[in-house]
Every structure is written in C-alpha cells, then in structure tokens.
Amino acid sequence: MDEAMLRDTMVRLAKSLFDRGFSVGSAGNISAALPDGGYLMTPTNSSLGFLDPARLSRLDAEWRHVDGDAPSKEVFLHRAFYDTRPGTGAVVHLHSTHATALSCLETTDPDDCIPPLTPYVVMRVGTVRMVPYVHPGDAAAGDLIRDLEGACSAVLLQNHGPVVSAKDLLSAVYAAEELEETAKLLVLLKQSRKRMLPPETVAELKARFG
Ligand SMILES: [Zn+2]
C-alpha cells in the first residue's frame, strides 16, 4: 500500500472506530509502517473521528518527526511493538469501554486477560497480558512492552486500555475490535458460569491461524 492510500485508509478506519464508539474525544492513537521504513501516526490531541490525511504525523525510520502535526504522546508505546515484534505493520491503542473495564478489574488475570471464549479472539489476538500502570505518554510504557520480548501482539495497559499490533493496519483494527467485543462478552457473562474453549482447541487454533 503506498503512502497516499495508507493515509486515506488510516483516516477511514479511525473514523469508523470513532463512529462506533470504540474511541471518544481525543482518546486513542494509531500508527502504521510506511514502505520507506518510516511511520505514519495520528497526531497528539487529535480525535480519531476527524483526522485530516494531509496532517497525519510522519516519522522516519528512527522515529524522528519529519512532517505533519506532532505525533501522539504514546509514540514510545507504539515503537516498542515494532522493535520487539518483527513484521509489525500497525499498532492501534484505544480506550474502548469493555477492554478498559477489564484493565481496571482486580480479578483480571494479568498473564491471560482475555480467556478463550470464542475462536476469533484466539486467532486474531492470542494471549493478552496486562502491563502495569504508568501515566499516559510515559516512556516507561515502551520499556514495559519491551520486557515482554515480543511474546504478545496485544496488551491491556492497567487502568487505561488496550493496545493491539498486527501485520497491517486493517488486521490491527480488526484485532482491536475483536478484543473489545470479547471483553464485552466477558463483562456481560461475568456472573455466569462460562464454557471456555478447551486448551487443545486453543492450541489447535494458534497452530493453524496464530
Ligand atoms: Zn490512552
């Protein structure tokens, strides 16, 4: 995908997420790798619903701001995924309600935040770990992602929200949607005895689609 198309796709997908309530206000940020080795990123304090393709932040391969508006303050968080997971093409960070709810619950298992309720969350997202709380925009968030050594494509930032990476922008958005919808099911079913996918089914899904 060339840069012009990537800019348009980022704006369109961001608006779609915003229009469906996956982000509100100026919450959430998205980045994607450019064919030349640099990155496009949503600007700081921008709303995902009202982005301008010409004003997206462009960064070079060393993450220096090249042009467009200043990048999101969560740039450290995004960069850590690209650095630790080869093949990462995009990162999506949202404050979507149910995934964020799980990030606030004491009962959420920090090593496996999203139990395998349905096959798609296993296929698109995999095991999700919790990252300890740091303030928004704190460079320490990047260190916490690096500590995972590329083991997870998605995490929950404690008391903050989800971050999802994938091989390209559309896959990252789909994975973020899948994570949020599964989190919604977990919240809906909280008081119920749930039938989870058995471990052998999860292993088979990861082997076949992971
Ligand atoms: Zn955030």
Side-chain angles (χ1 to χ4, degrees):
M1 194 183 291
D2 68 20
E3 181 171 338
M5 196 183 285
L6 192 59
R7 283 177 185 269
D8 285 342
T9 304
M10 186 179 285
V11 171
R12 212 159 30 83
L13 290 172
K15 182 177 186 318
S16 168
L17 288 168
F18 183 86
D19 288 347
R20 289 175 292 146
F22 286 87
S23 75
V24 298
S26 63
N29 34 74
I30 301 175
S31 65
L34 285 163
D36 69 358
Y39 301 89
L40 277 184
M41 190 167 202
T42 53
T44 186
N45 291 323
S46 60
S47 166
L48 294 189
F50 305 95
L51 294 169
D52 177 349
R55 290 179 60 180
L56 293 175
S57 309
R58 192 159 64 87
L59 303 118
D60 67 14
E62 273 69 55
W63 292 85
R64 290 178 293 236
H65 182 211
V66 178
D67 59 37
D69 290 349
S72 163
K73 63 179 177 296
E74 299 289 14
V75 66
F76 308 101
L77 183 63
H78 287 246
R79 181 177 181 172
F81 277 96
Y82 294 95
D83 287 352
T84 57
R85 291 185 57 85
T88 296
V91 175
V92 174
H93 166 52
L94 300 171
H95 298 172
S96 52
T97 308
H98 299 86
T100 304
L102 292 185
S103 83
C104 301
L105 274 181
E106 273 185 6
T107 48
T108 298
D109 178 354
D111 293 323
D112 189 9
C113 302
I114 309 289
L117 268 183
T118 65
Y120 273 88
V121 76
V122 178
M123 289 154 59
R124 291 198 189 281
V125 186
T127 302
V128 178
R129 291 213 216 147
M130 184 94 77
V131 171
Y133 179 83
V134 296
H135 296 317
D138 189 331
D143 301 332
L144 293 169
I145 299 299
R146 284 173 213 282
D147 288 346
L148 298 175
E149 298 177 339
C152 299
S153 69
V155 300
L156 293 184
L157 307 176
Q158 188 190 312
N159 295 79
H160 183 163
V163 192
V164 178
S165 67
K167 66 183 193 315
D168 56 44
L169 188 50
L170 193 60
S171 303
V173 169
Y174 283 174
E177 292 176 356
E178 192 62 39
L179 174 52
E180 170 58 17
E181 291 306 311
T182 308
K184 187 194 274 186
L185 291 174
L186 288 164
V187 172
L188 280 172
L189 297 172
K190 185 132 192 51
Q191 307 301 334
S192 313
R193 288 179 55 201
K194 294 176 278 295
R195 185 184 291 122
M196 295 295 174
L197 293 176
E200 59 271 24
T201 303
V202 171
E204 201 179 316
L205 285 166
K206 284 183 172 171
R208 203 182 292 185
F209 302 101

